Amino acid sequence: MSTGSKSPRAGIWLAVAVVQESSANLLVAVVPVSDPDLPFFIADGELTVAAARHGRNGKAALAMLAAQRPMVGQLTRLLLARRAFPVGTDEGLRIHCQSVAVDAARRTVSVVASLVPGNSAVPKAVRDAAIVCVTRERAAEAQAAARWAVDEIDGSASPGAGAAGAAHERPALDITPLLELMPPGFAVRLNKSSVASADRAITEAILAAPDPAHPPPRDGQYQALIVDAGAGRRLAVVTWQPHRGDPSYGEVRTAAERRLPRAFASPRQTGAHPPLQPVGRHDGIVRDARPFDPADPAWVGAFDSEAVFDFPDPKAAADRIRALQGQVGFEAIAWYQPHHTHAESAWGIYFDAANLDDFISSLLLDLQREGFGRGSDALAAKLGVGLAYEHALFHAQVEAALTWMELQAGHAKFMPYQTPVCTAVRGTDDWLEEALANFWAWSWLSADSMLAMITGALTGGQHAALEHIVQATLDRSPAGHRRWRDGRQREPWRILATQAVTGKPTLPPPGIGLPLEPTLRGPLPFDFRPTDVPLRFVGAGRVTARLLRMPAASSVCPGKV
């Protein structure tokens, strides 16, 4: 079957992103896989490079060394260019194996060496395979040396280099087992020094030479280590983590955007668009945060048992947020902006930081009223963040499912559902997506493993009280949202799936929902993760401040609401 393009670029849907890094302590040698020193350097983790002689004889010796032992020859040239050898002595210089990567053709290996000892990035499996490989060779060398010594004693040794020469005439080893385990990577020569020109050169090299054995990374992100190659030249060693699983959501989205541009709004909106405009309670600044999976226990560490928020006037805060929930439900706290209608910089889940604080205040009052004592602040924060986040993630999952269907059908699915269906049912008891989003949030909490992670050990009475608090919170929602208990039944899921597929609010004859509910409530047929959906906070708050302190969690966008 023809791909419709002779360019290998067609094999990469995702936009390539290059993360550049440089270090003055690193050297790079690009050597053939047959290099005799390569497996020993990987196995031992270090190598002593002898100081080269100067003058004509030194140049000739260096040329011969580079021909016979490419890695040692290249490293010697680099060290000479840097004047790294000790002055006034013939002592060599010890260098350390930092990382290795093999190219797509399995002809060359990019070896990164360090002038200072440190943590090696060579995978343990690669180093273990190298140790096995060289141990056999060293055992054979030792046996040969022992036989030669015995023969020399009894006078039967043949003339030759002897045991000492055998070590210098090390044959190339078969390192196929190492290559199977070695990370992918290749070197790119850079002609200009700017970051932008390096980024262009590296991106072109990635697109021009895809590696069939090592698929692109899940997020399209490649690492480029840029080092001095001597004589004013620079090299970039490009590596990545291949993604071998199902297609990522990022790839599905990108493919849909390229193949079906008419399935998306044009132009797409920018900025944050909350369902209710904030009334002067925050600065309106949008802060990017690190997305997380509410089912992953890591995020709950942001709220330890000693957390105390000291919210001002919690009763007034509870009254405010309950009034807003009565108008738009959980969307008063967190809302989802689809990528079909919003630009790459604007789609995702948004938390109103001030309203989130009010929501936690409301939950905290309920918990204290039911007799929950120490740790109530942390429990309220975990409940509030998790419930609102899961509700918004359900909306993201609906769009993700329809994006996949668009690739299969070859035409728009989300926009026909968004406009005719959602417009027709908005604000009515038939707004099933909101009802099932609330049920999705309830299901997240009611799972035994999740409940234990959020609450810890509870008495029977506390468990019943907690359920009552959450159910009352869900019931405080407007029409449609309040039907969350219908999520226990099969038919609402079938109706919503039918509406999404047909783009019509009414069911086609004979008036029965299509059996497509797994497309919404089951695992999606591609690799969709909560962390694929951007997370942003509007304004500042006490709860979001803790979430932003999670590792690699925050950056500030210039946009305002």
Side-chain angles (χ1 to χ4, degrees):
M1 178 178 177
S2 174
T3 62
S5 171
K6 296 181 180 179
S7 170
R9 296 166 186 255
I12 302 177
W13 283 108
L14 286 168
V16 171
V18 179
V19 179
Q20 297 186 32
E21 180 185 357
S22 60
S23 174
N25 291 320
L26 297 179
L27 310 167
V28 172
V30 181
V31 302
V33 296
S34 59
D35 188 293
D37 296 291
L38 179 60
F40 292 88
F41 190 36
I42 297 173
D44 299 338
E46 60 183 32
L47 176 73
T48 299
V49 179
R53 291 174 293 173
H54 294 281
R56 183 179 300 175
N57 291 337
K59 289 182 179 180
L62 185 55
M64 183 178 297
L65 178 65
Q68 296 177 349
R69 304 173 66 186
M71 184 177 72
V72 174
Q74 289 183 42
L75 293 175
T76 303
R77 287 184 188 276
L78 291 170
L79 292 171
L80 283 171
R82 293 191 183 193
R83 304 184 181 215
F85 287 110
V87 178
T89 176
D90 291 333
E91 289 184 9
L93 193 63
R94 182 173 295 180
I95 59 173
H96 309 270
C97 185
Q98 179 68 22
S99 65
V100 290
V102 63
D103 70 351
R106 296 194 179 184
R107 295 194 184 113
T108 63
V109 174
S110 297
V111 181
V112 179
S114 175
L115 296 174
V116 294
N119 294 328
S120 172
V122 177
K124 183 177 183 300
V126 175
R127 186 166 186 269
D128 289 346
I131 290 172
V132 171
C133 181
V134 303
T135 298
R136 291 172 179 165
E137 176 60 22
R138 281 172 171 156
E141 287 179 359
Q143 291 174 357
R147 285 195 300 269
W148 191 91
V150 170
D151 291 343
E152 186 178 40
I153 291 172
D154 61 22
S156 60
S158 58
H168 293 285
E169 298 172 3
R170 179 177 289 154
L173 302 181
D174 179 10
I175 64 167
T176 301
L178 276 72
L179 300 179
E180 298 289 340
L181 300 170
M182 205 172 284
F186 58 89
V188 180
R189 292 193 180 277
L190 304 177
N191 297 321
K192 297 181 180 180
S193 59
S194 71
V195 172
S197 64
D199 192 271
R200 284 193 298 271
I202 294 166
T203 300
E204 288 176 4
I206 291 169
L207 293 173
D211 185 344
H214 299 99
R218 186 182 185 278
D219 56 1
Q221 191 171 97
Y222 293 76
Q223 287 71 45
L225 177 63
I226 300 176
V227 297
D228 179 14
R233 298 172 301 170
R234 296 189 308 154
L235 273 181
V237 178
V238 182
T239 57
W240 67 97
Q241 183 65 45
H243 177 63
R244 305 184 188 279
D246 290 335
S248 70
Y249 185 34
E251 188 173 20
V252 171
R253 286 195 308 107
T254 305
E257 290 172 14
R258 292 186 183 180
R259 295 284 293 172
L260 305 166
R262 293 185 179 180
F264 295 78
S266 180
R268 283 185 268 183
Q269 292 179 293
T270 59
H273 301 275
L276 296 174
Q277 286 299 322
V279 187
R281 295 189 52 237
H282 54 59
D283 56 17
I285 294 176
V286 179
R287 294 169 172 84
D288 285 354
R290 181 184 182 186
F292 58 90
D293 183 350
D296 184 344
W299 74 274
V300 300
F303 307 105
D304 55 61
S305 61
E306 302 300 322
V308 176
F309 294 108
D310 289 325
F311 294 116
D313 200 353
K315 177 64 170 62
D319 291 341
R320 280 194 304 267
I321 196 62
R322 292 179 184 188
L324 293 177
Q325 281 184 274
Q327 296 179 57
V328 295
F330 274 130
E331 269 70 22
I333 303 150
W335 69 95
Y336 175 67
Q337 297 188 172
H339 65 83
H340 278 79
T341 55
H342 291 76
E344 190 67 23
S345 61
W347 83 281
I349 292 173
Y350 289 73
F351 272 85
D352 184 304
N355 286 352
L356 179 60
D357 278 359
D358 285 355
F359 184 43
I360 306 307
S361 294
S362 175
L363 290 171
L364 181 56
L365 285 179
D366 289 338
L367 290 170
Q368 291 172 342
R369 192 177 298 117
E370 294 291 345
F372 286 81
R374 183 173 175 271
S376 295
D377 291 62
L379 176 55
K382 295 170 190 175
L383 285 174
V385 171
L387 288 168
Y389 202 0
E390 279 289 340
H391 176 101
L393 278 170
F394 179 76
H395 294 308
Q397 175 140 334
V398 170
E399 185 182 25
L402 289 173
T403 306
W404 176 262
M405 291 181 195
E406 287 174 339
L407 284 179
Q408 292 180 310
H411 58 79
K413 288 289 184 183
F414 180 78
M415 294 297 284
Y417 162 72
Q418 182 81 349
T419 305
V421 176
C422 292
T423 301
V425 301
R426 188 180 306 276
T428 72
D429 279 337
D430 295 325
W431 201 355
L432 284 178
E433 185 177 340
E434 289 297 345
L436 296 179
N438 272 1
F439 178 77
W440 194 265
W442 168 255
S443 301
W444 163 79
L445 178 65
S446 58
D448 290 341
S449 59
M450 199 68 239
L451 190 64
M453 185 184 85
I454 293 293
T455 64
L458 293 179
T459 65
Q462 287 177 320
H463 186 279
L466 188 66
E467 285 193 344
H468 174 73
I469 290 170
V470 175
Q471 289 176 0
T473 298
L474 296 170
D475 291 339
R476 204 173 289 125
S477 303
H481 302 234
R482 287 194 297 265
R483 290 182 56 191
W484 62 272
R485 291 178 179 85
D486 291 355
R488 299 188 177 104
Q489 305 167 16
R490 184 187 69 179
E491 198 58 26
W493 291 94
R494 288 195 167 186
I495 294 173
L496 179 60
T498 304
Q499 290 174 336
V501 170
T502 62
K504 298 178 180 179
T506 57
L507 297 178
I512 302 173
L514 297 172
L516 297 173
E517 68 272 19
T519 59
L520 298 181
R521 72 181 307 173
L524 295 173
F526 55 94
D527 187 9
F528 174 79
R529 304 177 189 179
T531 50
D532 292 331
V533 183
L535 175 63
R536 300 182 171 96
F537 298 142
V538 180
R542 303 189 183 200
V543 177
T544 55
R546 283 182 171 262
L547 291 171
L548 286 167
R549 285 200 294 267
M550 291 194 300
S554 63
S555 63
V556 178
C557 280
K560 285 195 174 187
V561 175

